[in-house]
Amino acid sequence: MSELQTSNPKPVHEQFGHAISSVVGDRRLLVPLWVMAAVATIFFFREAKPFLAPVIGSAVLAIALSPITRFLERSVGLSRGFAALISLVLAAGVVASVLWILIPAADNWQDRLGELTEQAERKLFPISSTIDEVKKATEKVGEAANLADGDQPKIVVDTDGSYLSQVLGGAPFVVIQILTTAIVSFFFLRERRWLLRSGIAFFATYRERYRMAQIAREIRRSVGSYFLIQITISAGVGLVTALSFYAIGMPAPATWGGAIAVANFVPFIGPFLIAALSFVGGLVTFDTLQMCLIPPAIVFAVNAVEENVVIPMVMSSRFYTSPVVIILAVLFGAWMWGTIGGVLAVPTAVIVLSALRRWRETEEMLEDEAIAEEVDD
């Protein structure tokens, strides 16, 4: 047997830990060193947002689209590049359709901002009869602070320009980010097999290569299925919400359905924001405060059925993620990268948890095989 075959290199994580221990000397310093490394990594990701956000977004998008790309390659017979391109075009079509529904509605809301605010204040007046007293108290506080009339702060609401024009105002940077994400996603999809083989070849031992292959297969299968199921559920939630809003006479029910379908990808927080917005929409639509509470009640009811009935029934235990993990992931992602971080937080958490779960399963399986080999010997 050759020297290469008889060698038994240690796993990468053991080699790394041994190297750190030999440098540090005192193992008691390992914990603070790991904490410092974690903090440094967090702030690195925070500062590297312009580069890492499109790259991580591309990786998540490629994982989500990989089942479609694989189907086009195997069942339709398309080449890798053309299958990846078709998958991205389909995803772009879905995003464009959602924006086509949502942006005109947001533009209309901004144009009617003054009118909507006035109607909302008039509807809320019966339960806020102390507004005048609050205003008077505020004026007295201002006088006590010896503020001159010309020095008092003024609130200016700029209603010039539509929401669409404001979005297009930042078009250069947005277009660059979108193009970067699309291009990187295309190459991730087209070269996914080469990337997988290269990543597995990095590890020295058979155990680690086998484990990484299993993790990659788990991410490809489970996470891809998770995204497909989540898209289907979100579309169903949007459809039910749209039909319910249409039944009670809420304007633009299709827009509300599209909004809740998109917001549903950020669990708990997204539906809560839509419920708050639907309450404002109810204030400017209905005559009584009781009717104004129906739209948010519908949003909460649909979300409750989704979380407690549909998801446990449709998704297997392999897809289950604790609500606490989801909320913390969304808050952490939003703190690091803002809106894009909150959107990427949930799929990233699902990918990480799937990888960790498969790592543990393969570790137990490999230990059982090692014990069996010892018994046979």
Side-chain angles (χ1 to χ4, degrees), residues 41-61:
T41 302
I42 291 173
F43 280 94
F44 168 76
F45 273 76
R46 184 179 174 87
E47 295 299 323
K49 172 187 173 182
F51 168 74
L52 290 179
V55 172
I56 295 179
S58 300
V60 172
L61 181 61

Side-chain angles (χ1 to χ4, degrees), residues 340-364:
I340 185 64
V343 173
L344 292 176
V346 176
T348 303
V350 172
I351 291 173
V352 172
L353 292 177
S354 299
L356 292 176
R357 180 177 60 248
R358 192 58 179 169
W359 178 285
R360 185 179 63 252
E361 292 175 354
T362 54
E363 182 70 21
E364 294 175 354

Side-chain angles (χ1 to χ4, degrees), residues 302-377:
V302 173
N303 182 253
V305 173
E306 174 199 3
E307 294 291 339
N308 298 286
V309 178
V310 177
I311 289 181
M313 182 173 58
V314 174
M315 289 191 176
S316 66
S317 59
R318 301 186 69 85
F319 298 147
Y320 176 76
T321 304
S322 172
V324 176
V325 174
I326 292 177
I327 293 175
L328 291 178
V330 171
L331 293 177
F332 182 74
W335 169 75
M336 279 213 312
W337 289 351
T339 303
I340 185 64
V343 173
L344 292 176
V346 176
T348 303
V350 172
I351 291 173
V352 172
L353 292 177
S354 299
L356 292 176
R357 180 177 60 248
R358 192 58 179 169
W359 178 285
R360 185 179 63 252
E361 292 175 354
T362 54
E363 182 70 21
E364 294 175 354
M365 182 172 58
L366 290 172
E367 288 180 357
D368 293 341
E369 292 180 357
I371 294 174
E373 291 178 358
E374 291 178 1
V375 171
D376 292 339
D377 292 341

Side-chain angles (χ1 to χ4, degrees), residues 236-256:
V237 168
L239 178 61
V240 172
T241 303
L243 293 176
S244 301
F245 278 20
Y246 175 79
I248 64 175
M250 193 76 169
T255 301
W256 287 107

